[in-house]
Amino acid sequence: MTKDNRNSNRFNISRRHMLAALGTGAGVMAMPWIARAADDNIRIGFPTPLTGPFAAEAKDQVKSAELAVKQVNDKGGVNGRKVELLVRDDKLNGGEAATRTLELIEKDKVHAIVGSLSSAVQLAVNEVTRARGVLYVSISQSDTINEVKDFSKYTFHEALNPTMTTAAVARYAFKKGTKVAHLVADYAYGHEMLRGFKRAQAAIGAETVGEIMHPFGAADYSTFMPRLRSMRPDILCISNFGRDQANSIKQAVDFGLKQSAKIVVPVLLHNQRLAVSPEVFEGVVGGSNYYWGLEGTLPSAKAFNDAYRAANGGAIPTDYGAYGYTGVMSLLQAMQAAGGTDTDKVIAALEALKYDVAKGPQYYRKCDHQSVQSVLVLESKKKADMKGDSDLFSIVANEAPSEQVLRTCAELGFPT
């Protein structure tokens, strides 16, 4: 997190609050959580914000995670052991997420945690799992979770991070001399995306002409639009998430900004595009971890889409939904390779894992446990070009997996 969140204190959780939630001393915190339930099932805890402004994306994550569990169980489980998914509502709140995670570990005796949909809330989950020595696969974008101060050997970051996402979008949309204005949600996600865009701009030679922070969950953006228009940008970068994305883009269009500037977002969200008319998002460019249209070229995407359609009445998987599938599936594949749920063996298996379950080849970099994977750049289609209600985007770039697009291990604070 680049600075304190003045407008969204609900996302913040202090170390004192966290230690109180854990209810333990430093000596116990250093020990892995050993006690497990007597039965032989493998239990995966899944905290995610089922209520609140990110609920649509969270519910898609659950559906995809449930599909991964079902597919593994249908094939006999993990080394013959059935897998259970224990879903909990973290209410998009750091304290709530810490409490639910602690309950999953102490009461439900889970073997691992997968989940979280906020860059700040996942740090609360990470703090608990690190203290208890429990595996955690994070499926929300974050740069901070990779840095040495927040790094946990038990945590693996399956999601893209803002450095990867913004760099791919900038390479497609920016040119030397491009003038860029930024509208940014004033909490961790927005701050990290802004930092990523400015890093990418510096490499390309694009120029920032202004930055405006807006409160999380703002309903009215009208006061910001005249200021943004007065900056005369070539590109308007809107770095926010969930309903904030749809609302801010709609108002930017209403104020005529799209007539003079290209609208770019770090993550182009499937559900938010569906929430408004095609005309609002037409031509908007953004990054993504997944789009169902990959099925035309990738067998793993086709298999994932077909299985998801069969389980969900013909519906297609979404971007953030796909994280639920890839996060759970990579964990279960590592458990299979490790021969069970022994924490150290699963960590070693995850560090060695090469997997392709939905979007092409992926692997976890050893120093920071970041998933190295492809990054898509999408452009929202005109209504006339759509071949159906699900034909939302064109894939305008697909950057292959590469550690070259990540911050180096030394930059993150790891010894070289």
Side-chain angles (χ1 to χ4, degrees):
M1 189 178 299
T2 57
K3 67 176 187 176
D4 289 339
N5 175 11
R6 297 186 300 271
N7 299 302
S8 300
N9 289 332
R10 63 185 297 186
F11 284 106
N12 294 326
I13 182 164
S14 68
R15 181 165 291 273
R16 176 184 291 181
H17 183 180
M18 182 64 67
L19 294 180
L22 292 173
T24 185
V28 177
M29 287 172 59
M31 298 295 293
W33 186 257
I34 297 172
R36 302 295 180 201
D39 68 84
D40 201 38
N41 289 351
I42 294 174
R43 289 166 298 284
I44 309 298
F46 200 87
T48 194
L50 298 172
T51 54
F54 299 173
E57 286 78 17
K59 289 171 184 176
D60 286 345
Q61 284 188 335
V62 173
K63 290 177 183 177
S64 291
E66 289 173 340
L67 175 61
V69 169
K70 181 180 185 301
Q71 287 182 314
V72 169
N73 284 336
D74 286 349
K75 292 180 179 179
V78 174
N79 296 304
R81 297 169 66 182
K82 181 181 177 181
V83 181
E84 298 177 47
L85 189 74
L86 284 67
V87 179
R88 300 291 184 268
D89 185 4
D90 67 28
K91 300 180 182 178
L92 204 63
N93 179 281
E96 184 76 15
T99 299
R100 298 285 81 77
T101 300
L102 194 60
E103 286 178 354
L104 284 164
I105 294 169
E106 294 194 335
K107 179 181 176 182
D108 299 301
K109 313 301 183 190
V110 296
H111 298 86
I113 300 288
V114 179
S116 191
L117 191 50
S118 158
S119 50
V121 172
Q122 71 179 314
L123 295 177
V125 176
N126 181 65
E127 194 76 18
V128 175
T129 54
R130 177 168 60 180
R132 285 296 194 263
V134 172
L135 289 162
Y136 174 38
V137 179
S138 171
I139 53 175
S140 172
Q141 288 219 26
S142 175
D143 272 326
T144 305
I145 203 167
N146 295 79
E147 295 168 358
V148 72
K149 65 183 176 59
D150 285 297
F151 176 75
S152 164
K153 75 172 189 176
Y154 305 104
T155 295
F156 290 77
H157 191 222
E158 163 59 24
L160 298 173
N161 65 44
T163 298
M164 301 165 73
T165 307
T166 55
V169 173
R171 278 189 287 270
Y172 175 79
F174 298 177
K175 295 180 176 61
K176 185 175 181 179
T178 297
K179 296 180 179 179
V180 186
H182 294 276
L183 178 64
V184 182
D186 195 8
Y187 71 103
Y189 174 91
H191 300 161
E192 291 189 0
M193 291 300 181
L194 175 62
R195 182 177 68 179
F197 271 129
K198 293 177 78 170
R199 175 190 176 102
Q201 285 175 214
I204 293 168
E207 173 190 356
T208 296
V209 294
E211 303 168 12
I212 296 177
M213 297 286 176
H214 75 76
F216 168 78
D220 183 11
Y221 296 82
S222 60
T223 58
F224 307 128
M225 297 305 164
R227 293 168 57 195
L228 290 166
R229 190 162 52 189
S230 70
M231 296 172 190
R232 300 180 182 274
D234 303 309
I235 300 281
L236 171 58
C237 278
I238 299 179
S239 295
N240 52 24
F241 195 85
R243 290 198 296 259
D244 283 351
Q245 183 175 98
N247 290 339
S248 57
I249 291 176
K250 184 178 186 304
Q251 291 187 40
V253 171
D254 290 344
F255 274 80
L257 268 78
K258 201 160 69 170
Q259 296 174 12
S260 58
K262 183 79 170 177
I263 297 179
V264 166
V265 296
V267 180
L268 190 53
L269 293 168
H270 182 111
N271 286 325
Q272 300 315 313
R273 160 58 189 79
L274 289 176
V276 295
S277 68
E279 290 79 11
V280 170
F281 268 72
E282 179 183 313
V284 175
V285 168
S288 185
N289 61 303
Y290 186 79
Y291 180 55
W292 71 269
L294 286 170
E295 69 180 15
T297 56
L298 278 178
S300 59
K302 179 69 163 60
F304 171 46
N305 291 346
D306 287 348
Y308 190 94
R309 288 184 181 109
N312 293 280
I316 56 168
T318 64
D319 38 27
Y320 263 70
Y323 280 139
Y325 185 81
T326 56
V328 170
M329 194 62 84
S330 65
L331 174 65
L332 296 181
Q333 285 190 2
M335 287 181 171
Q336 181 74 30
T341 55
D342 178 87
T343 299
D344 289 337
K345 290 181 180 178
V346 178
I347 290 172
L350 281 164
E351 290 180 341
L353 187 67
K354 309 291 184 185
Y355 59 109
D356 177 1
V357 297
K359 57 172 295 183
Q362 297 180 242
Y363 68 92
Y364 290 106
R365 183 168 68 168
K366 189 168 185 178
C367 77
D368 63 344
H369 293 170
Q370 170 61 47
S371 177
V372 181
Q373 58 185 287
S374 63
V375 185
L376 304 181
V377 181
L378 308 177
E379 183 166 1
S380 191
K381 288 187 173 184
K382 297 179 181 179
K383 185 176 182 179
D385 294 335
M386 294 171 59
K387 297 177 182 178
D389 292 342
S390 299
D391 187 24
L392 306 178
F393 307 122
S394 297
I395 300 174
V396 295
N398 187 351
E399 296 201 351
S402 172
E403 293 188 24
Q404 298 303 310
V405 303
L406 304 176
R407 290 185 293 169
T408 66
C409 297
E411 186 179 354
L412 294 170
F414 295 95
T416 57

PDB file of all heavy atoms in Angstrom, residues 62-94:
ATOM      1  N   VAL A  62     -16.418 -18.277  -6.362  1.00  0.00           N
ATOM      2  CA  VAL A  62     -16.916 -19.463  -5.665  1.00  0.00           C
ATOM      3  C   VAL A  62     -17.343 -20.529  -6.660  1.00  0.00           C
ATOM      4  O   VAL A  62     -17.013 -21.716  -6.512  1.00  0.00           O
ATOM      5  CB  VAL A  62     -18.080 -19.093  -4.723  1.00  0.00           C
ATOM      6  CG1 VAL A  62     -18.715 -20.360  -4.135  1.00  0.00           C
ATOM      7  CG2 VAL A  62     -17.595 -18.183  -3.601  1.00  0.00           C
ATOM      8  N   LYS A  63     -18.082 -20.148  -7.695  1.00  0.00           N
ATOM      9  CA  LYS A  63     -18.533 -21.124  -8.697  1.00  0.00           C
ATOM     10  C   LYS A  63     -17.354 -21.832  -9.353  1.00  0.00           C
ATOM     11  O   LYS A  63     -17.378 -23.049  -9.561  1.00  0.00           O
ATOM     12  CB  LYS A  63     -19.372 -20.421  -9.769  1.00  0.00           C
ATOM     13  CG  LYS A  63     -20.728 -19.935  -9.298  1.00  0.00           C
ATOM     14  CD  LYS A  63     -21.447 -19.199 -10.420  1.00  0.00           C
ATOM     15  CE  LYS A  63     -22.778 -18.625  -9.956  1.00  0.00           C
ATOM     16  NZ  LYS A  63     -23.445 -17.852 -11.032  1.00  0.00           N
ATOM     17  N   SER A  64     -16.324 -21.080  -9.694  1.00  0.00           N
ATOM     18  CA  SER A  64     -15.163 -21.682 -10.344  1.00  0.00           C
ATOM     19  C   SER A  64     -14.369 -22.555  -9.377  1.00  0.00           C
ATOM     20  O   SER A  64     -13.858 -23.614  -9.760  1.00  0.00           O
ATOM     21  CB  SER A  64     -14.268 -20.591 -10.938  1.00  0.00           C
ATOM     22  OG  SER A  64     -14.897 -19.967 -12.037  1.00  0.00           O
ATOM     23  N   ALA A  65     -14.253 -22.117  -8.118  1.00  0.00           N
ATOM     24  CA  ALA A  65     -13.566 -22.936  -7.119  1.00  0.00           C
ATOM     25  C   ALA A  65     -14.321 -24.233  -6.869  1.00  0.00           C
ATOM     26  O   ALA A  65     -13.717 -25.311  -6.737  1.00  0.00           O
ATOM     27  CB  ALA A  65     -13.415 -22.142  -5.813  1.00  0.00           C
ATOM     28  N   GLU A  66     -15.646 -24.154  -6.809  1.00  0.00           N
ATOM     29  CA  GLU A  66     -16.463 -25.359  -6.626  1.00  0.00           C
ATOM     30  C   GLU A  66     -16.289 -26.320  -7.795  1.00  0.00           C
ATOM     31  O   GLU A  66     -16.263 -27.549  -7.600  1.00  0.00           O
ATOM     32  CB  GLU A  66     -17.938 -24.973  -6.476  1.00  0.00           C
ATOM     33  CG  GLU A  66     -18.262 -24.297  -5.159  1.00  0.00           C
ATOM     34  CD  GLU A  66     -19.692 -23.776  -5.089  1.00  0.00           C
ATOM     35  OE1 GLU A  66     -20.325 -23.587  -6.156  1.00  0.00           O
ATOM     36  OE2 GLU A  66     -20.185 -23.553  -3.957  1.00  0.00           O
ATOM     37  N   LEU A  67     -16.149 -25.772  -8.993  1.00  0.00           N
ATOM     38  CA  LEU A  67     -15.925 -26.625 -10.161  1.00  0.00           C
ATOM     39  C   LEU A  67     -14.599 -27.377 -10.041  1.00  0.00           C
ATOM     40  O   LEU A  67     -14.531 -28.581 -10.329  1.00  0.00           O
ATOM     41  CB  LEU A  67     -15.935 -25.784 -11.435  1.00  0.00           C
ATOM     42  CG  LEU A  67     -15.604 -26.522 -12.735  1.00  0.00           C
ATOM     43  CD1 LEU A  67     -16.605 -27.641 -13.016  1.00  0.00           C
ATOM     44  CD2 LEU A  67     -15.544 -25.541 -13.909  1.00  0.00           C
ATOM     45  N   ALA A  68     -13.546 -26.684  -9.617  1.00  0.00           N
ATOM     46  CA  ALA A  68     -12.244 -27.341  -9.445  1.00  0.00           C
ATOM     47  C   ALA A  68     -12.336 -28.485  -8.443  1.00  0.00           C
ATOM     48  O   ALA A  68     -11.811 -29.585  -8.677  1.00  0.00           O
ATOM     49  CB  ALA A  68     -11.200 -26.319  -8.995  1.00  0.00           C
ATOM     50  N   VAL A  69     -13.010 -28.230  -7.324  1.00  0.00           N
ATOM     51  CA  VAL A  69     -13.160 -29.270  -6.298  1.00  0.00           C
ATOM     52  C   VAL A  69     -13.953 -30.453  -6.838  1.00  0.00           C
ATOM     53  O   VAL A  69     -13.586 -31.616  -6.635  1.00  0.00           O
ATOM     54  CB  VAL A  69     -13.832 -28.679  -5.039  1.00  0.00           C
ATOM     55  CG1 VAL A  69     -14.249 -29.783  -4.075  1.00  0.00           C
ATOM     56  CG2 VAL A  69     -12.884 -27.695  -4.348  1.00  0.00           C
ATOM     57  N   LYS A  70     -15.034 -30.185  -7.556  1.00  0.00           N
ATOM     58  CA  LYS A  70     -15.856 -31.255  -8.113  1.00  0.00           C
ATOM     59  C   LYS A  70     -15.061 -32.107  -9.098  1.00  0.00           C
ATOM     60  O   LYS A  70     -15.136 -33.341  -9.071  1.00  0.00           O
ATOM     61  CB  LYS A  70     -17.081 -30.672  -8.810  1.00  0.00           C
ATOM     62  CG  LYS A  70     -18.018 -31.731  -9.419  1.00  0.00           C
ATOM     63  CD  LYS A  70     -19.209 -31.105 -10.099  1.00  0.00           C
ATOM     64  CE  LYS A  70     -20.193 -32.178 -10.585  1.00  0.00           C
ATOM     65  NZ  LYS A  70     -19.568 -33.136 -11.545  1.00  0.00           N
ATOM     66  N   GLN A  71     -14.299 -31.461  -9.966  1.00  0.00           N
ATOM     67  CA  GLN A  71     -13.521 -32.218 -10.951  1.00  0.00           C
ATOM     68  C   GLN A  71     -12.494 -33.123 -10.283  1.00  0.00           C
ATOM     69  O   GLN A  71     -12.318 -34.277 -10.686  1.00  0.00           O
ATOM     70  CB  GLN A  71     -12.826 -31.258 -11.915  1.00  0.00           C
ATOM     71  CG  GLN A  71     -13.771 -30.589 -12.903  1.00  0.00           C
ATOM     72  CD  GLN A  71     -13.038 -29.681 -13.861  1.00  0.00           C
ATOM     73  OE1 GLN A  71     -12.177 -28.881 -13.458  1.00  0.00           O
ATOM     74  NE2 GLN A  71     -13.372 -29.779 -15.137  1.00  0.00           N
ATOM     75  N   VAL A  72     -11.838 -32.601  -9.247  1.00  0.00           N
ATOM     76  CA  VAL A  72     -10.851 -33.417  -8.535  1.00  0.00           C
ATOM     77  C   VAL A  72     -11.532 -34.568  -7.805  1.00  0.00           C
ATOM     78  O   VAL A  72     -11.068 -35.720  -7.850  1.00  0.00           O
ATOM     79  CB  VAL A  72     -10.027 -32.541  -7.569  1.00  0.00           C
ATOM     80  CG1 VAL A  72      -9.182 -33.404  -6.638  1.00  0.00           C
ATOM     81  CG2 VAL A  72      -9.139 -31.582  -8.356  1.00  0.00           C
ATOM     82  N   ASN A  73     -12.643 -34.296  -7.138  1.00  0.00           N
ATOM     83  CA  ASN A  73     -13.360 -35.359  -6.427  1.00  0.00           C
ATOM     84  C   ASN A  73     -13.910 -36.410  -7.380  1.00  0.00           C
ATOM     85  O   ASN A  73     -13.909 -37.612  -7.070  1.00  0.00           O
ATOM     86  CB  ASN A  73     -14.490 -34.768  -5.584  1.00  0.00           C
ATOM     87  CG  ASN A  73     -13.989 -34.110  -4.315  1.00  0.00           C
ATOM     88  OD1 ASN A  73     -12.917 -34.437  -3.810  1.00  0.00           O
ATOM     89  ND2 ASN A  73     -14.765 -33.180  -3.782  1.00  0.00           N
ATOM     90  N   ASP A  74     -14.372 -35.996  -8.554  1.00  0.00           N
ATOM     91  CA  ASP A  74     -14.898 -36.943  -9.539  1.00  0.00           C
ATOM     92  C   ASP A  74     -13.824 -37.902 -10.044  1.00  0.00           C
ATOM     93  O   ASP A  74     -14.131 -39.004 -10.523  1.00  0.00           O
ATOM     94  CB  ASP A  74     -15.515 -36.201 -10.728  1.00  0.00           C
ATOM     95  CG  ASP A  74     -16.855 -35.563 -10.392  1.00  0.00           C
ATOM     96  OD1 ASP A  74     -17.405 -35.863  -9.305  1.00  0.00           O
ATOM     97  OD2 ASP A  74     -17.346 -34.759 -11.206  1.00  0.00           O
ATOM     98  N   LYS A  75     -12.563 -37.476  -9.930  1.00  0.00           N
ATOM     99  CA  LYS A  75     -11.449 -38.327 -10.358  1.00  0.00           C
ATOM    100  C   LYS A  75     -10.820 -39.085  -9.191  1.00  0.00           C
ATOM    101  O   LYS A  75      -9.726 -39.637  -9.312  1.00  0.00           O
ATOM    102  CB  LYS A  75     -10.392 -37.476 -11.056  1.00  0.00           C
ATOM    103  CG  LYS A  75     -10.866 -36.908 -12.393  1.00  0.00           C
ATOM    104  CD  LYS A  75      -9.779 -36.064 -13.049  1.00  0.00           C
ATOM    105  CE  LYS A  75     -10.252 -35.511 -14.386  1.00  0.00           C
ATOM    106  NZ  LYS A  75      -9.218 -34.656 -15.027  1.00  0.00           N
ATOM    107  N   GLY A  76     -11.500 -39.077  -8.044  1.00  0.00           N
ATOM    108  CA  GLY A  76     -11.010 -39.842  -6.909  1.00  0.00           C
ATOM    109  C   GLY A  76     -10.379 -39.029  -5.811  1.00  0.00           C
ATOM    110  O   GLY A  76      -9.835 -39.590  -4.850  1.00  0.00           O
ATOM    111  N   GLY A  77     -10.434 -37.683  -5.935  1.00  0.00           N
ATOM    112  CA  GLY A  77      -9.871 -36.833  -4.895  1.00  0.00           C
ATOM    113  C   GLY A  77      -8.369 -36.671  -5.013  1.00  0.00           C
ATOM    114  O   GLY A  77      -7.764 -36.947  -6.053  1.00  0.00           O
ATOM    115  N   VAL A  78      -7.742 -36.236  -3.942  1.00  0.00           N
ATOM    116  CA  VAL A  78      -6.290 -36.069  -3.884  1.00  0.00           C
ATOM    117  C   VAL A  78      -5.702 -37.274  -3.171  1.00  0.00           C
ATOM    118  O   VAL A  78      -5.904 -37.444  -1.963  1.00  0.00           O
ATOM    119  CB  VAL A  78      -5.912 -34.766  -3.144  1.00  0.00           C
ATOM    120  CG1 VAL A  78      -4.397 -34.669  -2.962  1.00  0.00           C
ATOM    121  CG2 VAL A  78      -6.432 -33.560  -3.895  1.00  0.00           C
ATOM    122  N   ASN A  79      -5.058 -38.139  -3.930  1.00  0.00           N
ATOM    123  CA  ASN A  79      -4.529 -39.387  -3.358  1.00  0.00           C
ATOM    124  C   ASN A  79      -5.606 -40.137  -2.577  1.00  0.00           C
ATOM    125  O   ASN A  79      -5.369 -40.666  -1.492  1.00  0.00           O
ATOM    126  CB  ASN A  79      -3.314 -39.095  -2.459  1.00  0.00           C
ATOM    127  CG  ASN A  79      -2.153 -38.509  -3.232  1.00  0.00           C
ATOM    128  OD1 ASN A  79      -1.683 -39.106  -4.208  1.00  0.00           O
ATOM    129  ND2 ASN A  79      -1.691 -37.343  -2.826  1.00  0.00           N
ATOM    130  N   GLY A  80      -6.825 -40.133  -3.159  1.00  0.00           N
ATOM    131  CA  GLY A  80      -7.932 -40.864  -2.563  1.00  0.00           C
ATOM    132  C   GLY A  80      -8.703 -40.111  -1.497  1.00  0.00           C
ATOM    133  O   GLY A  80      -9.705 -40.624  -0.989  1.00  0.00           O
ATOM    134  N   ARG A  81      -8.294 -38.889  -1.176  1.00  0.00           N
ATOM    135  CA  ARG A  81      -8.963 -38.111  -0.139  1.00  0.00           C
ATOM    136  C   ARG A  81      -9.927 -37.103  -0.769  1.00  0.00           C
ATOM    137  O   ARG A  81      -9.558 -36.365  -1.687  1.00  0.00           O
ATOM    138  CB  ARG A  81      -7.935 -37.371   0.729  1.00  0.00           C
ATOM    139  CG  ARG A  81      -7.017 -38.317   1.497  1.00  0.00           C
ATOM    140  CD  ARG A  81      -5.857 -37.575   2.133  1.00  0.00           C
ATOM    141  NE  ARG A  81      -6.301 -36.650   3.177  1.00  0.00           N
ATOM    142  CZ  ARG A  81      -5.460 -35.850   3.846  1.00  0.00           C
ATOM    143  NH1 ARG A  81      -4.154 -35.861   3.569  1.00  0.00           N
ATOM    144  NH2 ARG A  81      -5.922 -35.040   4.788  1.00  0.00           N
ATOM    145  N   LYS A  82     -11.140 -37.056  -0.274  1.00  0.00           N
ATOM    146  CA  LYS A  82     -12.139 -36.114  -0.765  1.00  0.00           C
ATOM    147  C   LYS A  82     -11.762 -34.689  -0.364  1.00  0.00           C
ATOM    148  O   LYS A  82     -11.199 -34.460   0.706  1.00  0.00           O
ATOM    149  CB  LYS A  82     -13.516 -36.459  -0.188  1.00  0.00           C
ATOM    150  CG  LYS A  82     -14.634 -35.552  -0.659  1.00  0.00           C
ATOM    151  CD  LYS A  82     -15.958 -35.945  -0.011  1.00  0.00           C
ATOM    152  CE  LYS A  82     -17.075 -34.983  -0.425  1.00  0.00           C
ATOM    153  NZ  LYS A  82     -18.367 -35.328   0.223  1.00  0.00           N
ATOM    154  N   VAL A  83     -12.097 -33.728  -1.231  1.00  0.00           N
ATOM    155  CA  VAL A  83     -11.811 -32.318  -0.974  1.00  0.00           C
ATOM    156  C   VAL A  83     -13.106 -31.592  -0.638  1.00  0.00           C
ATOM    157  O   VAL A  83     -14.135 -31.799  -1.289  1.00  0.00           O
ATOM    158  CB  VAL A  83     -11.146 -31.658  -2.202  1.00  0.00           C
ATOM    159  CG1 VAL A  83     -10.829 -30.193  -1.906  1.00  0.00           C
ATOM    160  CG2 VAL A  83      -9.888 -32.413  -2.608  1.00  0.00           C
ATOM    161  N   GLU A  84     -13.067 -30.736   0.384  1.00  0.00           N
ATOM    162  CA  GLU A  84     -14.205 -29.893   0.749  1.00  0.00           C
ATOM    163  C   GLU A  84     -13.818 -28.430   0.593  1.00  0.00           C
ATOM    164  O   GLU A  84     -12.690 -28.037   0.918  1.00  0.00           O
ATOM    165  CB  GLU A  84     -14.609 -30.115   2.209  1.00  0.00           C
ATOM    166  CG  GLU A  84     -15.062 -31.511   2.554  1.00  0.00           C
ATOM    167  CD  GLU A  84     -15.359 -31.625   4.042  1.00  0.00           C
ATOM    168  OE1 GLU A  84     -16.052 -30.730   4.574  1.00  0.00           O
ATOM    169  OE2 GLU A  84     -14.866 -32.572   4.670  1.00  0.00           O
ATOM    170  N   LEU A  85     -14.751 -27.603   0.111  1.00  0.00           N
ATOM    171  CA  LEU A  85     -14.551 -26.158   0.014  1.00  0.00           C
ATOM    172  C   LEU A  85     -15.435 -25.478   1.047  1.00  0.00           C
ATOM    173  O   LEU A  85     -16.659 -25.614   1.013  1.00  0.00           O
ATOM    174  CB  LEU A  85     -14.895 -25.663  -1.390  1.00  0.00           C
ATOM    175  CG  LEU A  85     -14.515 -24.211  -1.691  1.00  0.00           C
ATOM    176  CD1 LEU A  85     -12.997 -24.090  -1.883  1.00  0.00           C
ATOM    177  CD2 LEU A  85     -15.239 -23.708  -2.938  1.00  0.00           C
ATOM    178  N   LEU A  86     -14.829 -24.742   1.973  1.00  0.00           N
ATOM    179  CA  LEU A  86     -15.563 -24.062   3.038  1.00  0.00           C
ATOM    180  C   LEU A  86     -15.561 -22.564   2.751  1.00  0.00           C
ATOM    181  O   LEU A  86     -14.557 -21.881   2.964  1.00  0.00           O
ATOM    182  CB  LEU A  86     -14.929 -24.350   4.404  1.00  0.00           C
ATOM    183  CG  LEU A  86     -15.195 -25.725   5.031  1.00  0.00           C
ATOM    184  CD1 LEU A  86     -14.539 -26.842   4.232  1.00  0.00           C
ATOM    185  CD2 LEU A  86     -14.685 -25.762   6.465  1.00  0.00           C
ATOM    186  N   VAL A  87     -16.684 -22.053   2.233  1.00  0.00           N
ATOM    187  CA  VAL A  87     -16.787 -20.665   1.797  1.00  0.00           C
ATOM    188  C   VAL A  87     -17.255 -19.786   2.956  1.00  0.00           C
ATOM    189  O   VAL A  87     -18.191 -20.145   3.684  1.00  0.00           O
ATOM    190  CB  VAL A  87     -17.763 -20.538   0.614  1.00  0.00           C
ATOM    191  CG1 VAL A  87     -17.897 -19.086   0.170  1.00  0.00           C
ATOM    192  CG2 VAL A  87     -17.313 -21.423  -0.549  1.00  0.00           C
ATOM    193  N   ARG A  88     -16.612 -18.638   3.134  1.00  0.00           N
ATOM    194  CA  ARG A  88     -16.987 -17.683   4.168  1.00  0.00           C
ATOM    195  C   ARG A  88     -17.027 -16.275   3.584  1.00  0.00           C
ATOM    196  O   ARG A  88     -16.203 -15.924   2.727  1.00  0.00           O
ATOM    197  CB  ARG A  88     -15.984 -17.725   5.338  1.00  0.00           C
ATOM    198  CG  ARG A  88     -15.871 -19.071   6.028  1.00  0.00           C
ATOM    199  CD  ARG A  88     -17.126 -19.424   6.795  1.00  0.00           C
ATOM    200  NE  ARG A  88     -16.978 -20.676   7.544  1.00  0.00           N
ATOM    201  CZ  ARG A  88     -17.312 -21.873   7.072  1.00  0.00           C
ATOM    202  NH1 ARG A  88     -17.797 -21.992   5.839  1.00  0.00           N
ATOM    203  NH2 ARG A  88     -17.150 -22.956   7.805  1.00  0.00           N
ATOM    204  N   ASP A  89     -17.946 -15.455   4.053  1.00  0.00           N
ATOM    205  CA  ASP A  89     -18.082 -14.073   3.603  1.00  0.00           C
ATOM    206  C   ASP A  89     -17.155 -13.179   4.424  1.00  0.00           C
ATOM    207  O   ASP A  89     -17.350 -13.010   5.628  1.00  0.00           O
ATOM    208  CB  ASP A  89     -19.535 -13.620   3.766  1.00  0.00           C
ATOM    209  CG  ASP A  89     -19.807 -12.228   3.202  1.00  0.00           C
ATOM    210  OD1 ASP A  89     -18.881 -11.626   2.615  1.00  0.00           O
ATOM    211  OD2 ASP A  89     -20.951 -11.750   3.351  1.00  0.00           O
ATOM    212  N   ASP A  90     -16.143 -12.588   3.774  1.00  0.00           N
ATOM    213  CA  ASP A  90     -15.246 -11.693   4.515  1.00  0.00           C
ATOM    214  C   ASP A  90     -15.739 -10.242   4.510  1.00  0.00           C
ATOM    215  O   ASP A  90     -15.130  -9.367   5.126  1.00  0.00           O
ATOM    216  CB  ASP A  90     -13.813 -11.784   3.988  1.00  0.00           C
ATOM    217  CG  ASP A  90     -13.619 -11.255   2.569  1.00  0.00           C
ATOM    218  OD1 ASP A  90     -14.374 -10.362   2.148  1.00  0.00           O
ATOM    219  OD2 ASP A  90     -12.694 -11.723   1.885  1.00  0.00           O
ATOM    220  N   LYS A  91     -16.854  -9.991   3.813  1.00  0.00           N
ATOM    221  CA  LYS A  91     -17.542  -8.690   3.809  1.00  0.00           C
ATOM    222  C   LYS A  91     -16.644  -7.538   3.357  1.00  0.00           C
ATOM    223  O   LYS A  91     -16.911  -6.377   3.660  1.00  0.00           O
ATOM    224  CB  LYS A  91     -18.144  -8.392   5.182  1.00  0.00           C
ATOM    225  CG  LYS A  91     -19.155  -9.441   5.618  1.00  0.00           C
ATOM    226  CD  LYS A  91     -19.759  -9.133   6.982  1.00  0.00           C
ATOM    227  CE  LYS A  91     -20.737 -10.227   7.398  1.00  0.00           C
ATOM    228  NZ  LYS A  91     -21.310  -9.993   8.742  1.00  0.00           N
ATOM    229  N   LEU A  92     -15.590  -7.856   2.636  1.00  0.00           N
ATOM    230  CA  LEU A  92     -14.668  -6.848   2.115  1.00  0.00           C
ATOM    231  C   LEU A  92     -14.074  -6.007   3.242  1.00  0.00           C
ATOM    232  O   LEU A  92     -13.884  -4.801   3.123  1.00  0.00           O
ATOM    233  CB  LEU A  92     -15.366  -5.959   1.080  1.00  0.00           C
ATOM    234  CG  LEU A  92     -14.471  -5.260   0.057  1.00  0.00           C
ATOM    235  CD1 LEU A  92     -13.739  -6.280  -0.806  1.00  0.00           C
ATOM    236  CD2 LEU A  92     -15.286  -4.335  -0.827  1.00  0.00           C
ATOM    237  N   ASN A  93     -13.766  -6.659   4.337  1.00  0.00           N
ATOM    238  CA  ASN A  93     -13.303  -5.973   5.539  1.00  0.00           C
ATOM    239  C   ASN A  93     -12.129  -6.741   6.132  1.00  0.00           C
ATOM    240  O   ASN A  93     -12.210  -7.954   6.345  1.00  0.00           O
ATOM    241  CB  ASN A  93     -14.455  -5.877   6.538  1.00  0.00           C
ATOM    242  CG  ASN A  93     -14.056  -5.200   7.828  1.00  0.00           C
ATOM    243  OD1 ASN A  93     -13.441  -5.816   8.681  1.00  0.00           O
ATOM    244  ND2 ASN A  93     -14.403  -3.930   7.969  1.00  0.00           N
ATOM    245  N   GLY A  94     -11.029  -6.046   6.408  1.00  0.00           N
ATOM    246  CA  GLY A  94      -9.836  -6.711   6.896  1.00  0.00           C
ATOM    247  C   GLY A  94     -10.030  -7.435   8.208  1.00  0.00           C
ATOM    248  O   GLY A  94      -9.586  -8.566   8.381  1.00  0.00           O
TER     249      GLY A  94
END
